[in-house]
């Protein structure tokens, strides 16, 4: 693989291969009924981990280090610091990858227990999934706030509001507000309905100011 696209193609092909083998084995028991289905994702995960550190003429280690450092700067954005263009892209990628990141919770428990038990363990930790959804928006919020602090440009505040609305959506859908005083089921549903509209409005406003 001599280009980044070829590397991506190899990773995608391996994912399709191992996922297909997993489904076929689980559905049709080509190796009989057993409890070792976790081997398929484990092999795939091992390959990905090795490929992250394997020397390559195109995807050099210093490039990977740059990505890791950008990720680190994004994570520590709540504590201040300059935000580069690469960090901005990293923050956007994290917010776009919220759903796959949430699946990591079930994947983690899946590696330690059968699927049914893994689901139960996930349900026993109800705030893990919302927390994973909350953090990328929080990092991006703080990036926008840092950018505003450096430049005093209003557009960064609008972006801050957009990601704040995203986190409000995470909170109101994760916490049963109707269990709190002065919150009825109807109030909870009203907040659910209104929050996405507020976020869409803020997104359009921030786009206008950019």
């Amino acid at each position: 693989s001599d280009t980044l696209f070829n590397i991506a193609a190899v990773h995608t092909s391996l994912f399709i291969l191992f996922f297909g083998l997993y489904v076929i084995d689980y559905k049709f028991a080509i190796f009989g009924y057993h409890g070792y289905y976790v081997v398929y994702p484990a092999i795939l995960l091992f390959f990905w981990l090795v490929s992250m550190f394997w020397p390559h003429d195109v995807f050099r280690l210093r490039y990977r280090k740059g990505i890791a450092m950008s990720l680190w700067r994004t994570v520590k954005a709540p504590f201040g610091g300059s935000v580069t263009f690469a960090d901005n892209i990293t923050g956007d990628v994290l917010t776009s990858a919220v759903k796959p990141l949430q699946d990591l919770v079930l994947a983690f428990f899946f590696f330690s227990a059968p699927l049914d038990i893994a689901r139960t363990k996930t349900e026993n930790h109800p705030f893990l999934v919302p927390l994973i959804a909350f953090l990328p928006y929080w990092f991006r919020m703080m990036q926008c706030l840092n950018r505003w602090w450096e430049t005093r440009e209003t557009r960064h505040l609008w972006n801050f509001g957009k990601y704040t609305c995203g986190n409000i959506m995470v909170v109101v859908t994760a916490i049963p507000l109707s269990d709190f005083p002065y919150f009825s089921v109807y109030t909870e549903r009203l907040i659910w309905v209104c929050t996405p509209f507020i976020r869409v409005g803020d997104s359009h406003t921030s786009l206008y100011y950019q």
Side-chain angles (χ1 to χ4, degrees):
S1 300
D2 54 356
T3 69
L4 293 178
F5 291 105
N6 286 342
I7 295 173
V10 170
H11 279 254
T12 304
S13 300
L14 285 173
F15 171 79
I16 294 173
L17 172 64
F18 280 98
F19 182 73
L21 289 174
Y22 169 80
V23 171
I24 293 172
D25 188 16
Y26 185 82
K27 186 71 175 178
F28 302 105
I30 57 176
F31 297 117
Y33 292 99
H34 56 82
Y36 300 103
Y37 301 108
V38 71
V39 169
Y40 296 105
I43 294 175
L44 189 60
L45 180 61
F46 174 77
F47 168 79
W48 281 342
L49 290 175
V50 170
S51 66
M52 287 175 61
F53 300 99
W54 195 267
H56 197 279
D57 292 337
V58 176
F59 192 31
R60 298 180 182 275
L61 289 176
R62 68 171 181 268
Y63 300 157
R64 290 172 244 185
K65 181 181 177 181
I67 294 173
M69 292 305 298
S70 178
L71 181 61
W72 168 244
R73 289 192 299 270
T74 302
V75 170
K76 72 181 185 71
F79 303 99
S82 298
V83 180
T84 66
F85 179 72
D87 302 342
N88 187 60
I89 297 297
T90 301
D92 279 337
V93 169
L94 286 178
T95 57
S96 300
V98 162
K99 185 57 182 175
L101 289 173
Q102 287 177 310
D103 292 337
L104 291 178
V105 177
L106 181 59
F108 174 79
F109 289 124
F110 176 69
F111 276 107
S112 61
L115 185 58
D116 294 338
I117 299 177
R119 287 200 182 98
T120 303
K121 287 185 175 181
T122 304
E123 293 169 357
N124 291 337
H125 298 80
F127 290 105
L128 271 180
V129 172
L131 178 63
I132 291 176
F134 180 89
L135 288 176
Y137 287 107
W138 173 253
F139 299 148
R140 192 70 184 92
M141 282 168 52
M142 294 299 102
Q143 282 185 333
C144 296
L145 200 59
N146 289 341
R147 289 287 291 155
W148 173 79
W149 184 261
E150 290 179 352
T151 64
R152 300 296 175 173
E153 294 179 359
T154 308
R155 60 179 179 174
H156 298 302
L157 287 181
W158 286 110
N159 269 330
F160 174 82
K162 178 175 68 175
Y163 294 108
T164 301
C165 289
N167 262 340
I168 292 174
M169 290 177 62
V170 172
V171 171
V172 299
T173 54
I175 298 177
L177 297 177
S178 56
D179 293 345
F180 291 88
Y182 309 110
F183 278 96
S184 66
V185 174
Y186 302 104
T187 307
E188 183 181 52
R189 298 297 186 272
L190 180 62
I191 294 174
W192 286 8
V193 171
C194 292
T195 306
F197 285 103
I198 296 172
R199 187 185 180 197
V200 169
D202 187 84
S203 298
H204 283 289
T205 306
S206 63
L207 181 64
Y208 172 79
Y209 276 97
Q210 289 177 1

